[in-house]
Amino acid sequence: MVRYLIDRFLKPQALVLMYHRVAVPAADAWDIAVSPENFEQQLQVLKNTANVIPLKELVERVKRKKVEKSTVALTFDDGYVDNYQVAKQLLEKYGLPATFFISSGNVGKDAAFWWDELEQLILYTPQLPDEIALAVGGEQVAMHLGEEAQLTGKQLEINRSWRACEEVPPSGRCALFLKLWQRLKPLPAAVLQEQLQLVRNWADAATETRPATKSMSVAQLQELAQHSLFDIGAHTVSHPALASHSLEYQKAELEVNKQYLQETINKEVSLLSYPYGNYNHDTLTAAADAAFEAAFTTEARAVTNRSHPYRLGRFQVKNLAEPAFLYALEHWKRLNN
């Protein structure tokens, strides 16, 4: 009864923070990059004000219903190379643990994630055709770009400053990017690549992968996994929007990803995060069938003693310097109280 009352009224809770990139990219429409300078300031705040624990330890505390306040865990999604090149060294400097959720399809390959390539094609290709009329994802995408077909300096600045997750498209190119992204996102990986090739052909632009948008190499992933501070988690093979697919497709994405990671790092992989935070009832079934101990969404809520093990929340960290980051932490702590 005492434990129930503590859970009910005091709500001991932990914050799981979600990162993707530690970099200063030329383009960041989805606002997923934190600069190395700001990331270090954030780590300093966490070192001084929170108890940062491994994600696995937090999952165990949830199981035992012993979540403690002021507890924080750090996670990274996707497996961008800057996680190894930049984040790793800063986490080591402050002795803070983190879990890296890896989409295995691009590991060790000279390939960008599809959304990064699409962003480059639509927002930053110097010259595009005046009009587009393509069937993408079963729907017609048609638009007249007019003077925006040529990328001017003014248009470049508009595109660079746009944040697709928070703002309406300020230009035709931005609107086209968002529409194509929405059509491509729910497609199976093979179909998505076929449809993306149509966009490549229309744009008639080079598709050279920018080094900064690559995933880690196999050797980098293995080195990260062997470090005592770090753990590797699953994030599917091709980064699909899981709820858009059948149970069988979801199971294959989770199981193949898990098997690849375990064979590559020679360690058990027991934690999962859902790409885009996208899931449904079948996803929870697939996670359980693949024997994951816990899975994480992108839903902005704290982890408590009563959290569902396959619906654990996280907070996406923006590119905030120390004062704004400290304010964000305090705001997140109050959300569940």
Side-chain angles (χ1 to χ4, degrees):
M1 176 59 74
V2 172
R3 171 57 61 184
Y4 171 79
L5 291 174
I6 291 175
D7 287 354
R8 177 67 179 84
F9 296 107
L10 297 184
K11 291 186 179 178
Q13 60 184 8
L15 303 182
V16 181
L17 306 188
M18 175 178 58
Y19 293 90
H20 292 81
R21 303 191 62 191
V22 179
V24 185
D28 187 21
W30 294 112
D31 204 15
I32 62 172
V34 176
S35 72
E37 178 182 6
N38 283 347
F39 183 62
E40 182 163 16
Q41 290 185 30
Q42 292 173 7
L43 295 185
Q44 291 170 345
V45 168
L46 293 171
K47 185 76 173 179
N48 293 331
T49 65
N51 178 24
V52 182
I53 64 174
L55 195 63
K56 280 187 174 180
E57 182 178 333
L58 175 58
V59 170
E60 285 301 315
R61 291 187 183 188
V62 173
K63 287 181 180 179
R64 293 185 282 112
K65 301 196 179 301
K66 294 195 175 181
V67 173
E68 298 177 358
K69 66 179 182 179
S70 300
T71 301
V72 172
L74 307 180
T75 69
F76 289 78
D77 280 9
D78 301 335
Y80 282 98
V81 68
D82 56 63
N83 290 188
Y84 173 86
Q85 295 172 334
V86 184
K88 173 178 176 289
Q89 286 82 350
L90 290 171
L91 290 163
E92 288 174 327
K93 178 177 179 180
Y94 293 94
L96 298 179
T99 293
F100 296 84
F101 291 111
I102 307 297
S103 288
S104 53
N106 280 4
V107 171
K109 295 180 180 178
D110 185 22
F113 289 107
W114 71 266
W115 56 86
D116 287 325
E117 182 180 351
L118 183 69
E119 182 176 350
Q120 185 67 25
L121 281 172
I122 304 303
L123 299 186
Y124 301 105
T125 296
Q127 183 69 51
L128 290 173
D130 291 341
E131 295 186 7
I132 183 172
L134 292 175
V136 180
E139 296 185 37
Q140 191 73 7
V141 175
M143 185 175 292
H144 178 68
L145 290 175
E147 63 182 16
E148 288 189 37
Q150 183 176 2
L151 187 66
T152 64
K154 180 180 179 181
Q155 183 67 50
L156 179 63
E157 290 307 310
I158 289 173
N159 295 351
R160 282 179 172 167
S161 63
W162 177 50
R163 294 295 174 258
C165 52
E166 298 175 350
E167 303 167 351
V168 297
S171 69
R173 283 204 188 208
C174 292
L176 177 59
F177 166 76
L178 185 59
K179 185 173 293 187
L180 289 169
W181 182 88
Q182 291 169 336
R183 299 290 184 270
L184 291 169
K185 176 184 172 184
L187 301 179
V191 178
L192 189 155
Q193 287 301 320
E194 290 174 359
Q195 299 282 278
L196 185 57
Q197 186 59 52
L198 296 178
V199 179
R200 295 185 189 113
N201 295 342
W202 167 79
D204 192 24
T207 57
E208 180 179 356
T209 302
R210 292 164 291 157
T213 61
K214 293 181 181 179
S215 295
M216 284 181 268
S217 69
V218 173
Q220 289 168 338
L221 175 59
Q222 291 171 331
E223 183 179 339
L224 201 64
Q226 294 306 314
H227 199 293
S228 60
L229 280 176
F230 308 134
D231 186 37
I232 302 300
H235 198 49
T236 73
V237 177
S238 66
H239 202 281
L242 288 167
S244 299
H245 302 283
S246 68
L247 175 59
E248 291 71 23
Y249 190 95
Q250 295 190 48
K251 282 186 175 182
E253 280 281 344
L254 299 190
E255 292 168 0
V256 173
N257 178 230
K258 182 178 184 179
Q259 181 179 0
Y260 170 86
L261 292 173
Q262 291 185 155
E263 292 176 352
T264 300
I265 68 175
N266 197 29
K267 284 187 173 182
E268 181 186 10
V269 172
S270 61
L271 304 180
L272 165 71
S273 73
Y274 305 130
Y276 313 105
N278 183 264
Y279 70 96
N280 59 12
H281 179 75
D282 282 348
T283 314
L284 306 184
T285 300
D289 288 350
F292 286 106
E293 292 184 21
F296 292 81
T297 72
T298 59
E299 295 164 340
R301 60 170 178 250
V303 173
T304 72
N305 289 324
R306 295 188 292 168
S307 293
H308 190 293
Y310 295 132
R311 296 179 56 195
L312 297 170
R314 292 185 295 170
F315 296 91
Q316 180 173 335
V317 182
K318 300 294 184 70
N319 188 28
L320 305 174
E322 178 181 349
F325 177 67
L326 189 56
Y327 176 85
L329 283 177
E330 293 304 315
H331 171 68
W332 295 334
K333 289 176 184 177
R334 291 193 297 268
L335 285 179
N336 283 52
N337 286 316

